[in-house]
Amino acid sequence: MNTNTPSEAAIEAAVQAALRAWPPDPTHTLQVLRETQERLGWLPEAALARVAASLGVSIATVRGVVAFYSFLYAEPMGEYRVLFSDNVTDRMRGSEDRLREVCQKLWVEPGKVSEDGLVSVDRTSSIGMCDHAPSLLVNGRPVGDVDARRAEEICDLILARTPLDQWPREFFAVEDLVRRSDVLLDDPLRPGEAVRSALERAETAGSGPQAVLDEIKSARLLGRGGAGFTTGVKWESCGRQPVTPRVVVCNADEGEPGTFKDRLLLGRRADLVLEGMTVAAYAIGATQGFIYLRGEYRHLLDHLLATIERRRRDGLLGSSICGRAGFDFEVRIHVGAGSYVCGEASALVESLEGRRGIPRNRPPRLAEKGYLQRPTIVNNVESYCAAALIVRHGAEWFRASGTERSCGTKLLSVSGDCERPGIYEYPFGVTVRQVLDDAGARDTIAVQVGGPSGVCIGQDEFDRRIGFEDIETGGSFMVFDSSRDLFEVARHFAHFFAHESCGFCTPCRVGTSLLRNLMDKIRDGKGSQHDLVTIEELGRLLRRASHCGLGESASRPLLDTLARFRPAYERRLESSAVEPAFDLDGALARARRMTGRDDAGAHIGEGP
Ligand SMILES: Cc1cc2nc3c(=O)[nH]c(=O)nc-3n(C[C@H](O)[C@H](O)[C@H](O)COP(=O)(O)O)c2cc1C
Ligand code: SF4
């Protein structure tokens, strides 16, 4: 029997402690729940009721928040909570074998809690450690390079009930593998330098913050989160809104499977990130800032808080920054709780407000009405770093690397089948082939650039270039050699999207599940040619009718692999139909037409 049910006194103490860090306000719902859970291990109903009453929100709202985030638990969990990272690159390095071994040794089934309440083991979407695959989280702390031996050691430590702070330190040491650095990673910028440069530019030009905006625009900086929106234009449009206060948000959700470059920047270059945010605050006249840190990076929280505190002491945050009266800017950190869609800018803002991360309708744009209806900019971690350096060294310096349309450099997170996984910084325009050579990739048949929502390219496209004129990417670069089955890779991504769909809109909620089911059916040898047609039709429908970028891109890995690696699909169809007694697909064609299923896209599109 599980004995992990906390007493009333323990619940009260946990909620009160969370409320000391997060004053009672509905926007703090997620943070209060998260911190309460950190103390209790899970969230009993009595804790939810206590949080609801303290924050003045309904119990239904609180339950809805808990149900939405996969790292919030309304059921008892093990004292030790082991979550295996479940990206395709983890699986390629044996994560499923390790999961089986751990479950066997600890006498627990995946997704369940052991009888004695000691441990629960489960899978979770990529935890941003693909350079150290397979990896896992134990009570939120990352452990990389989990080979059979390390898995066994982890089991022993758990069985001996060893407190986490007595585990070997090297288990939790996340080594950043920087394989190639360039102007961004090499820059020795000291705290305050970019902020002072911004003030100097404003003074010299005599145009105030507009001088900073002009420099960012002239640098032609495009957002590094993937979509490539022009940063200067976004900032300017926000700064022009008549409403104050304005808000600067750093998107540190880094949920795209295969990326881990923001982990490096937040861990090693936290000052540079904050420098960029502070420059942005000056440029748009913002006083409030947030870093939205993905739950999987909770281990970076103390370091980031310490950096913020130091900068406050040094007059680089808080009031009168750099002694300039009226230049006030505070930054808080909100920690996410295991939801990929919260990386989408408007979903992120919903989450910042303490709610479920459902993407908003647009218009209005966030620049007009974002956090609490205030003008808000949301930028990627790397974008803020680039902005800080632009202000320090000038637009011309920035434009000197990269290509005409894609200025500057890009950090790539390289993982999968290569000798040297890690972070590579290149000027935009580098070919895929060059990256593969540098990473020691051999016998490569495909690369998934930009994560599951990016593009899967085959050998004949390795001369294509990273950049907004050709292959856009937030930074994920997963390599597959000839031992890999691209159908299985795509099937894995279909599961990922079905799992991460927030369920708000029908095309995505239903479509991603149908795609996952179709891929499983084909895997089971029960697929037909018609299923391949349905996948293509569903894919088109999802792109057209989804409410946000998740649904729009959910079919991409399937459509890409169907277009480039069709034999990987057809092989399964052939092996399924050993010698069919009759043409099942053909026989069903008429029924499909009668029920409208031959036009699967339009049919589903007409749903509520
Ligand atoms: C499902 C989904 C997940 C996303 N995840 C992230 C993320 O983890 N980090 C990020 O910077 N942008 C992410 N984005 C893009 C953001 O919506 C937004 O475009 C970006 O933060 C803007 O910053 P940038 O202009 O500096 O790139 C995501 C978009 C979608 C649709
Ligand atoms: S497209 Fe998917 S993730 Fe986006 S709002 Fe619709 S259901 Fe949610």
Side-chain angles (χ1 to χ4, degrees):
M1 224 205 56
N2 197 313
T3 53
N4 294 343
T5 304
S7 67
E8 259 179 52
I11 290 174
E12 185 60 26
V15 174
Q16 286 309 327
L19 288 170
R20 275 195 290 281
W22 299 95
D25 183 297
T27 58
H28 295 156
T29 305
L30 172 58
Q31 301 310 308
V32 171
L33 286 169
R34 196 184 51 70
E35 292 219 356
T36 302
Q37 180 176 278
E38 282 197 6
R39 291 174 175 88
L40 299 176
W42 65 290
L43 292 165
E45 181 68 16
L48 304 192
R50 193 71 196 79
V51 170
S54 309
L55 301 183
V57 291
S58 73
I59 182 74
T61 303
V62 171
R63 284 197 199 112
V65 170
V66 174
F68 184 84
Y69 293 95
S70 68
F71 286 1
L72 295 183
Y73 310 119
E75 302 283 334
M77 301 301 288
E79 272 171 58
Y80 293 87
R81 295 170 298 284
V82 179
L83 284 176
F84 276 84
S85 179
D86 193 19
N87 187 22
V88 69
T89 49
D90 292 295
R91 290 200 174 208
M92 283 155 56
R93 304 248 160 181
S95 61
E96 284 295 290
D97 290 339
R98 298 296 87 78
L99 176 92
R100 255 189 309 278
E101 289 153 16
V102 166
C103 284
Q104 235 165 37
K105 184 145 189 196
L106 296 174
W107 279 80
V108 62
E109 279 177 57
K112 300 249 169 80
V113 185
S114 61
E115 283 278 301
D116 58 0
L118 177 67
V119 61
S120 44
V121 180
D122 208 345
R123 302 176 182 88
T124 187
S125 297
S126 176
I127 65 167
M129 294 268 292
C130 297
D131 45 347
H132 294 288
S135 59
L136 51 80
L137 296 169
V138 190
N139 294 4
R141 297 178 66 175
V143 184
D145 306 306
V146 183
D147 55 13
R149 193 160 147 230
R150 184 161 279 192
E152 189 159 349
E153 284 168 345
I154 289 173
C155 292
D156 291 340
L157 289 162
I158 290 175
L159 289 171
R161 292 185 143 80
T162 314
L164 285 195
D165 49 18
Q166 289 171 29
W167 287 30
R169 289 182 64 154
E170 69 267 20
F171 277 29
F172 301 118
V174 179
E175 194 192 351
D176 292 313
L177 305 167
V178 179
R179 308 288 190 178
R180 187 183 195 282
S181 55
D182 210 299
V183 291
L184 193 145
L185 291 178
D186 284 342
D187 198 283
L189 190 94
R190 285 189 301 275
E193 269 187 296
V195 181
R196 284 190 200 95
S197 295
L199 295 173
E200 277 160 28
R201 276 182 194 283
E203 221 154 81
T204 315
S207 54
Q210 187 61 41
V212 176
L213 291 172
D214 289 344
E215 204 64 30
I216 300 287
K217 279 198 299 181
S218 162
R220 300 201 291 272
L221 172 63
L222 302 178
R224 282 5 188 187
F229 196 79
T230 312
T231 305
V233 171
K234 186 194 284 188
W235 290 13
E236 190 165 55
S237 133
C238 183
R240 282 197 180 141
Q241 300 303 314
V243 179
T244 54
R246 303 189 189 103
V247 184
V248 169
V249 178
C250 174
N251 187 342
D253 199 52
E254 192 156 61
E256 195 66 45
T259 37
F260 43 88
K261 50 103 189 167
D262 292 343
R263 185 195 83 207
L264 168 102
L265 293 173
L266 295 160
R268 282 200 185 191
R269 305 300 306 267
D271 266 299
L272 187 57
V273 180
L274 284 156
E275 199 83 1
M277 290 179 70
T278 314
V279 164
Y282 177 72
I284 69 166
T287 49
Q288 202 173 9
F290 293 99
I291 296 177
Y292 186 87
L293 182 70
R294 70 183 308 218
E296 292 81 347
Y297 291 171
R298 164 71 180 77
H299 56 102
L300 295 172
L301 180 62
D302 291 345
H303 161 69
L304 288 168
L305 287 172
T307 310
I308 288 174
E309 194 43 49
R310 172 173 44 73
R311 290 179 69 89
R312 205 174 277 136
R313 275 199 311 273
D314 293 347
L316 298 172
L317 280 175
S319 357
S320 305
I321 291 171
C322 292
R324 178 69 56 104
F327 182 9
D328 306 334
F329 182 55
E330 283 290 354
V331 176
R332 290 209 79 170
I333 303 178
H334 278 225
V335 180
S339 162
Y340 167 67
V341 74
C342 284
E344 195 278 337
S346 69
L348 185 153
V349 167
E350 284 289 300
S351 185
L352 271 182
E353 291 184 12
R355 285 194 288 272
R356 300 181 304 150
I358 308 277
R360 289 183 180 173
N361 285 326
R362 276 180 244 193
R365 292 173 302 118
L366 297 175
E368 298 159 55
K369 291 184 174 180
Y371 177 73
L372 298 179
Q373 303 296 305
R374 296 167 187 166
T376 301
I377 54 166
V378 178
N379 278 110
N380 177 254
V381 174
E382 190 182 345
S383 306
Y384 285 117
C385 293
L389 295 180
I390 290 166
V391 170
R392 177 74 186 92
H393 302 297
E396 208 179 311
W397 166 88
F398 186 74
R399 288 195 310 264
S401 47
T403 66
E404 180 64 16
R405 256 193 71 202
S406 310
C407 303
T409 61
K410 183 78 194 83
L411 300 193
L412 298 178
S413 315
V414 179
S415 67
D417 293 316
C418 60
E419 268 170 28
R420 293 178 290 280
I423 302 288
Y424 292 73
E425 182 187 2
Y426 289 102
F428 273 113
V430 65
T431 62
V432 169
R433 193 180 302 285
Q434 178 73 55
V435 182
L436 290 171
D437 284 349
D438 292 350
R442 270 189 276 280
D443 198 18
T444 308
I445 57 165
V447 184
Q448 184 78 32
V449 190
S453 59
V455 57
C456 179
I457 59 171
Q459 278 168 337
D460 55 340
E461 297 166 283
F462 289 171
D463 288 321
R464 290 180 62 184
R465 292 174 187 280
I466 303 295
F468 295 97
E469 12 335 47
D470 190 358
I471 305 181
E472 292 179 6
T473 172
S476 172
F477 192 101
M478 294 185 270
V479 183
F480 304 99
D481 71 17
S482 62
S483 70
R484 307 299 173 190
D485 178 349
L486 268 296
F487 169 83
E488 273 301 322
V489 172
R491 195 176 71 81
H492 182 88
F493 292 149
H495 275 253
F496 166 76
F497 282 116
H499 179 253
E500 295 293 347
S501 165
C502 80
F504 171 76
C505 65
T506 311
C508 173
R509 185 182 64 246
V510 177
T512 53
S513 299
L514 287 175
L515 286 176
R516 178 199 57 204
N517 296 347
L518 282 165
M519 293 297 277
D520 285 352
K521 182 179 162 196
I522 295 171
R523 187 264 326 259
D524 293 342
K526 294 176 185 153
S528 69
Q529 281 292 344
H530 180 75
D531 291 323
L532 301 190
V533 176
T534 307
I535 287 175
E536 284 167 342
E537 286 170 346
L538 270 171
R540 279 194 292 275
L541 172 87
L542 272 167
R543 276 190 178 185
R544 215 176 47 236
S546 292
H547 177 64
C548 85
L550 186 151
E552 280 163 24
S553 49
S555 58
R556 280 192 81 172
L558 278 60
L559 300 184
D560 281 358
T561 45
L562 255 176
R564 293 171 173 88
F565 301 96
R566 201 175 177 94
Y569 288 71
E570 307 225 318
R571 253 198 316 276
R572 289 182 156 78
L573 308 186
E574 283 159 16
S575 67
S576 69
V578 183
E579 263 308 310
F582 72 106
D583 176 9
L584 177 65
D585 207 37
L588 289 176
R590 187 157 171 261
R592 269 196 307 267
R593 273 196 302 279
M594 285 171 69
T595 55
R597 284 210 56 226
D598 244 16
D599 189 8
H603 178 66
I604 294 171
E606 284 160 15

